[in-house]
Amino acid sequence: DTEDHGFGYHYIQHWLKGFSMTHLSGPGCANQGDVFFTATTGPIVTQVSDFQTPFSHKSERASPGFYQVQLLESGITAKLTATERTGMAQFTFPAGKVANILVPISHTLNDTAAASIHVVGDRRIEGFVENHLFCNRPATYKVYFVMLFDRPFSSYGTWFGNWIDGQDRGGTVAEGSRAAEQSSHQQSVGAYASWAPSKEEQTVTAKIGISYVDVAGAEKNLQAEAADSDFDTVRRSSESAWNKELSTIEVSGASPERRTVFYTALYHSLLMPSLFDDEDGRYLGFDGKIHTVATGHHVYANFSGWDIYRSEIPLLSMIEPQRMQDMAQSVVLMYEQGGWIDRWPQINKYTEDMDGSPLSIALATAWLDGLHGFDMKTAWEGMMKDATEAPPPNRPYVGEEGVDWINKLHYLPADKVTYGSVAMTLEYSLAYASLYHLATALGKTNDAKRMYDRALYYRNLFDPEDNFFRPRNADGTWVPGFNPAQDSHGFVEGTGWHYRSFAPADLGWLVKAFGQDRFNSSMTEFFNYPMPGWYGHYFNSYNETDLQAPFVFNFSGQPWKSQQVVRRILRENYLNTPDGIPGNDDCGAMSSWAVLSMMGIYSVDPASLAYELVSPVFPKVVVHLRSPYAGKTFTITTSEHPDATPYIRHVMLNGRAHTRNWIAFHNITDGGTLQFLLGATPEKHWGARAEDAPPSLSDTPAVPLGTTSDRGQFHN
C-alpha cells in the first residue's frame, strides 16, 4: 500500500506504507486494505509517518503470485507470495539491526470501526479488523487473521492510540503486552514482534491466514495451505497456478509488448470476483449466519456488477465455466439468504452501488451460454422480483430504483427519480431483454412476452427530433434545456453522447430510428476525438458507459469502422506501461474488454449469444475449452502481420466462407476454427449487408407489432 486511505497502490507514489491482505482490483473508491503489516529496524514506532519508507521501482519485481521491493529507509528486502486464502511475507533484515514486524491492525484503506489483536506464545499474532464497505458505506465487515512466524521472537508488545484531526497519531507502546482492543473510529491499536540483532542478515518469514468467519477459520486456512511449505515452494505453486489459468488462451505472434498487454489484461480479468469460503467450506452468508458450501464448490464475493456484466462475465463464462457456475450460484445464495439480488455486493453485504440489474444479466448470460450448474428456479424468482417489484422498506437493498414508475409509465420520470433516470431506464431495459431471452429458453412463454414488452421501454426516452435518449417528466414532456454533452443530466457517470447508442439488445431498431446514414454520421463524429480523453461529446475510453459503442457499426452497414475504432482504442489506451489501462480497471471490466477485442470478438449484448467480429491483433489465438462445453479448442488465425492489416477482407468459419459480421457463442464452445484474411485498407462490402448484422430484439418480436410495447408509451 502506497497510501493511507484510497485504492492501495499507485505507481506515481513514492512512499510505501506497508502491505495488506485484501484489496479490490481497480475500483473507484477507497476500499479494504485489511490486515496491514510492515517491517522496520530500530525502536518501535507506531505512526505511519514514522514507519513509512521511500522505495524505488528499480528494486521492484512483480509477476503473478510474487512481489519484491526494498524498503530504502531501513534496507529491508520484502518478498510476498500467496495461496488462495493465505499470504506469505519474507523480510530480510540488515546485519546488526533489531528486526521488527509491525501489525498496525487499525490501519486500512477505508474507515476502521473496530479491531482486536493478541500476541500468542512466541511465534504468533492473531485477531480481527472491522472495516466499512468501499466508499465508506455504513455497513461493516470483519476479517480475522492468524500470523505465524518461522522463528520465535525475542520481544513483543502492543500499542493503543487515537485519531486526532483526521490523522492517526500513533500510540503508547506497552512492551510485553499481549492484547489491545479498538472499539471506536477514534482509536487505533497494533502489535509488534522483534528479533535481536544478528551479525549477519536475518530473514523472518510471516505466514498469514485470513477468514471472514472467525479466527479458527483463519487458522485452518493457514494450516491447510501454507503451514508445511516454505516461501519458495509457495511462490512456485502460485506461479504454476496462474500459468495454468493464463494458458487457457494462448496467443502467438505480434510484438512482445502486445502479448504482455494481453496477458496482463487476462490476469486482471481473473482477479475477481473473489474466493470467499474457507478451506473447510464455511462462509458467512448475507443473513449474517455461517453456512457451508457443498463439497467441490466455492462461494465467491465482490461482484462489481455494473462494470463486469459487459465483458468480464462473458469472458469468464467462456474460459472458466466451472468457476462461473459457482459464481452464479453465489448470486443465488445472496438472494436466498439476504432477500434480494444486489448490483454490487461486497463481502456479504449489500452496497447497491451504480444502477440497473447487472447480475440478472450475468445469470442469464451464464445459463444461456449452457452453464446450468446453479439453481435457476430460485435465480428466476429473484430476478423477476428485482425486475417487477419494489423491495420491502427498511431493507439494506433498493432493487430497481423507481420500479413502480417503470410499471406505471414504462420509463423513469426525471421529475420523480432524480438520479440517472435515463441511464437506469436503459439499463433496466437491457436486463429485461436478458430475461426475455432466458424465459424463452426456459419455456416460460408468458414471462417471455412480458419481459420482451419491458425490454422496449428504452424507446420511451428516445427523442426522434435529435436522436438522443433524454430525460422526460412524468407528464410525458421532455425536460427542457437538455444538453447531451453535460455530465449527469439524467445519466450515470456519463452524458447523452455516451449513452446515445445504449440499446445493446436492439441496435437494429436504433439504427432504423436514426436512419442508417445519420446514425453512421453521428457515431463517426462520436469517435472523431483528437486524442483519448474524458470528453462529454466524444467516446470515453476511460469508463464502462460506452464500452459497446465501438462495435455498433456492425449493426449499421459499416463494420469496417468498428474494426478501425477498436484498433485505435487498443493502440492508444492499452499499453505496456504503468498506466496502460484506461481509467479504473473496475475489477477487471476494462481489462476483459481488451482481452476479447484483441481476440477479434465482443458481445454488446451477451444474452443474445452473438459475438461481433473485429480484426484480431494476433496471428493465432487458441482458446482451450473446458467442460461442460463440447469443444476442445477454438482457434482464431489471421494474416501474418495483423498490426499492419487492421481491416477484415474475408472470414472462414470452420473452413466455410462466413459473410456475417458476427458468430454465435456456440460456434466458439463447439470448437473449431475462425480464419481472418486481413488487409491494410477497408473492405467496405464484407459484412455490410443488412442480413449480415447481428440479431436485435426487433428481429424476433414476441408480441404483435403495433402494440404499446412496439411504439413505447409516448413514442412519436
Side-chain angles (χ1 to χ4, degrees):
D1 294 316
T2 57
E3 53 195 352
D4 296 321
H5 185 86
F7 310 102
Y9 177 95
H10 288 278
Y11 190 83
I12 61 173
Q13 294 172 336
H14 302 293
W15 289 87
L16 192 147
K17 311 292 184 175
F19 311 96
S20 56
M21 291 291 291
T22 68
H23 298 84
L24 298 178
S25 180
C29 276
N31 73 93
Q32 298 193 1
D34 306 304
V35 189
F36 179 85
F37 59 93
T38 191
T40 65
T41 60
I44 300 299
V45 293
T46 62
Q47 292 190 53
V48 176
S49 58
D50 292 328
F51 61 67
Q52 68 180 4
T53 175
F55 72 106
S56 170
H57 296 306
K58 294 179 180 179
S59 72
E60 280 186 303
R61 294 177 60 194
S63 60
F66 178 71
Y67 177 77
Q68 177 177 321
V69 69
Q70 187 173 43
L71 313 184
L72 297 180
E73 190 80 20
S74 59
I76 298 169
T77 297
K79 297 180 180 180
L80 309 176
T81 189
T83 70
E84 289 185 316
R85 302 173 182 84
T86 77
M88 194 175 294
Q90 187 179 82
F91 296 107
T92 300
F93 297 88
K97 299 285 188 178
V98 172
N100 308 311
I101 292 182
L102 310 182
V103 188
I105 193 63
S106 298
H107 186 288
T108 66
L109 291 168
N110 207 353
D111 189 9
T112 308
S116 176
I117 196 161
H118 297 265
V119 180
V120 180
D122 59 2
R123 292 181 56 192
R124 177 176 173 134
I125 298 176
E126 65 184 35
F128 73 84
V129 58
E130 183 176 354
N131 198 357
H132 285 266
L133 299 182
F134 69 83
C135 306
N136 200 26
R137 282 171 163 77
T140 63
Y141 63 92
K142 290 182 179 180
V143 182
Y144 299 87
F145 76 96
V146 170
M147 181 178 292
L148 188 65
F149 304 108
D150 67 337
R151 62 182 64 189
F153 39 75
S154 55
S155 61
Y156 60 88
T158 65
W159 68 84
F160 183 92
N162 293 280
W163 284 78
I164 302 174
D165 298 327
Q167 301 261 336
D168 184 358
R169 299 301 182 182
T172 303
V173 175
E175 184 175 358
S177 168
R178 288 191 175 272
E181 306 282 338
Q182 173 192 349
S183 58
S184 76
H185 294 87
Q186 288 72 42
Q187 300 169 342
S188 65
V189 297
Y192 70 90
S194 297
W195 291 261
S198 172
K199 293 182 179 180
E200 299 179 350
E201 287 185 340
Q202 60 176 320
T203 298
V204 177
T205 300
K207 300 177 180 180
I208 311 104
I210 64 169
S211 168
Y212 293 91
V213 178
D214 51 29
V215 170
E219 167 73 17
K220 289 180 180 179
N221 292 338
L222 183 59
Q223 292 299 323
E225 296 183 5
D228 296 329
S229 299
D230 60 20
F231 185 91
D232 290 337
T233 299
V234 171
R235 177 187 172 183
R236 287 192 298 269
S237 177
S238 181
E239 182 180 80
S240 176
W242 270 112
N243 194 51
K244 177 182 177 182
E245 298 306 318
L246 296 173
S247 295
T248 302
I249 306 176
E250 292 186 79
V251 301
S252 55
S255 66
E257 288 76 17
R258 287 287 88 189
R259 295 196 298 273
T260 297
V261 167
F262 179 84
Y263 281 110
T264 302
L266 182 56
Y267 168 75
H268 288 149
S269 302
L270 296 173
L271 287 171
M272 292 178 64
S274 314
L275 185 68
F276 191 58
D277 57 288
D278 282 349
E279 185 274 337
D280 60 6
R282 296 186 307 153
Y283 68 95
L284 200 62
F286 275 75
D287 54 5
K289 299 176 181 178
I290 298 173
H291 301 266
T292 301
V293 67
T295 302
H297 295 277
H298 294 293
V299 172
Y300 289 85
N302 304 327
F303 289 81
S304 182
W306 184 82
D307 307 289
I308 65 173
Y309 83 81
R310 306 160 197 266
S311 52
E312 184 175 307
I313 291 297
L315 177 63
L316 295 180
S317 291
M318 183 190 305
I319 65 173
E320 294 279 1
Q322 296 300 330
R323 293 182 194 268
M324 187 64 235
Q325 290 176 109
D326 280 352
M327 291 174 187
Q329 182 61 20
S330 299
V331 175
V332 176
L333 292 172
M334 174 195 358
Y335 167 68
E336 282 187 318
Q337 298 160 359
W340 217 261
I341 297 176
D342 192 10
R343 299 191 287 259
W344 211 128
Q346 184 188 7
I347 315 296
N348 67 321
K349 304 288 184 178
Y350 291 90
T351 73
E352 291 295 349
D353 195 44
M354 302 308 296
D355 67 287
S357 294
L359 294 185
S360 289
I361 299 174
L363 291 176
T365 297
W367 188 271
L368 292 166
D369 282 350
L371 305 181
H372 297 170
F374 62 99
D375 179 3
M376 176 48 69
K377 180 180 179 181
T378 303
W380 181 258
E381 177 186 291
M383 290 187 285
M384 285 296 285
K385 275 190 177 181
D386 188 48
T388 60
E389 301 177 19
N394 303 316
R395 301 297 173 90
Y397 40 80
V398 297
E400 289 188 354
E401 294 171 81
V403 71
D404 289 337
W405 289 108
I406 290 285
N407 294 336
K408 180 179 180 180
L409 298 178
H410 303 170
Y411 66 92
L412 292 179
D415 55 341
K416 305 297 182 181
V417 178
T418 57
Y419 174 71
S421 62
V422 183
M424 287 198 287
T425 301
L426 302 184
E427 292 275 5
Y428 295 167
S429 296
L430 180 58
Y432 303 149
S434 299
L435 294 179
Y436 156 68
H437 289 300
L438 181 57
T440 301
L442 295 173
K444 296 178 179 292
T445 304
N446 292 334
D447 287 333
K449 290 181 179 180
R450 185 184 185 192
M451 288 299 108
Y452 183 93
D453 192 66
R454 295 173 78 90
L456 302 186
Y457 288 172
Y458 76 94
R459 298 181 185 179
N460 293 321
L461 296 183
F462 182 76
D463 185 353
E465 296 299 321
D466 60 9
N467 297 138
F468 278 98
F469 295 109
R470 56 182 297 180
R472 197 169 206 162
N473 291 320
D475 63 2
T477 59
W478 298 115
V479 173
F482 173 62
N483 178 1
Q486 179 180 329
D487 194 32
S488 299
H489 208 163
F491 299 94
V492 175
E493 294 192 0
T495 69
W497 273 100
H498 299 144
Y499 282 86
R500 197 175 196 185
S501 64
F502 197 88
D506 204 18
L507 278 164
W509 181 89
L510 189 64
V511 172
K512 292 176 184 177
F514 264 80
Q516 188 177 68
D517 290 342
R518 185 173 182 181
F519 181 86
N520 285 327
S521 175
S522 297
M523 294 309 297
T524 299
E525 178 185 357
F526 184 56
F527 286 102
N528 193 28
Y529 50 89
M531 62 183 67
W534 197 294
Y535 303 101
H537 59 294
Y538 289 130
F539 174 70
N540 179 5
S541 59
Y542 297 88
N543 204 8
E544 287 77 19
T545 48
D546 51 3
L547 284 186
Q548 83 291 335
F551 304 91
V552 298
F553 294 107
N554 280 35
F555 294 80
S556 63
Q558 294 187 342
W560 62 271
K561 285 189 176 179
S562 283
Q563 299 155 32
Q564 182 184 74
V565 298
V566 169
R567 281 296 189 93
R568 180 186 179 188
I569 295 164
L570 290 172
R571 183 176 64 251
E572 295 180 342
N573 293 102
Y574 290 88
L575 307 171
N576 186 18
T577 61
D579 58 349
I581 300 174
N584 301 323
D585 197 28
D586 285 323
C587 307
M590 307 303 288
S591 287
S592 53
W593 186 95
V595 169
L596 291 169
S597 298
M598 295 175 84
M599 293 168 62
I601 57 176
Y602 190 86
S603 184
V604 301
D605 175 19
S608 73
L609 303 182
Y611 276 71
E612 290 73 45
L613 300 180
V614 290
S615 52
V617 304
F618 302 105
K620 187 175 183 180
V621 178
V622 179
V623 181
H624 294 278
L625 301 166
R626 305 177 182 182
S627 175
Y629 298 134
K632 299 299 182 184
T633 60
F634 183 69
T635 302
I636 302 169
T637 59
T638 71
S639 308
E640 186 176 354
H641 301 291
D643 276 352
T645 53
Y647 297 103
I648 298 173
R649 305 191 68 82
H650 185 68
V651 172
M652 302 279 284
L653 178 62
N654 296 325
R656 301 179 64 178
H658 186 79
T659 60
R660 296 186 303 186
N661 60 46
W662 62 281
I663 60 174
F665 184 71
H666 76 83
N667 293 139
I668 300 171
T669 56
D670 286 348
T673 60
L674 183 66
Q675 183 179 0
F676 291 84
L677 175 64
L678 304 180
T681 57
E683 168 52 68
K684 298 185 179 180
H685 297 291
W686 179 84
R689 300 176 304 168
E691 57 265 35
D692 294 331
S696 292
L697 276 180
S698 300
D699 299 332
T700 55
V703 290
L705 295 178
T707 66
T708 299
S709 61
D710 182 59
R711 297 193 309 272
Q713 181 160 338
F714 291 108
H715 185 63
N716 297 311

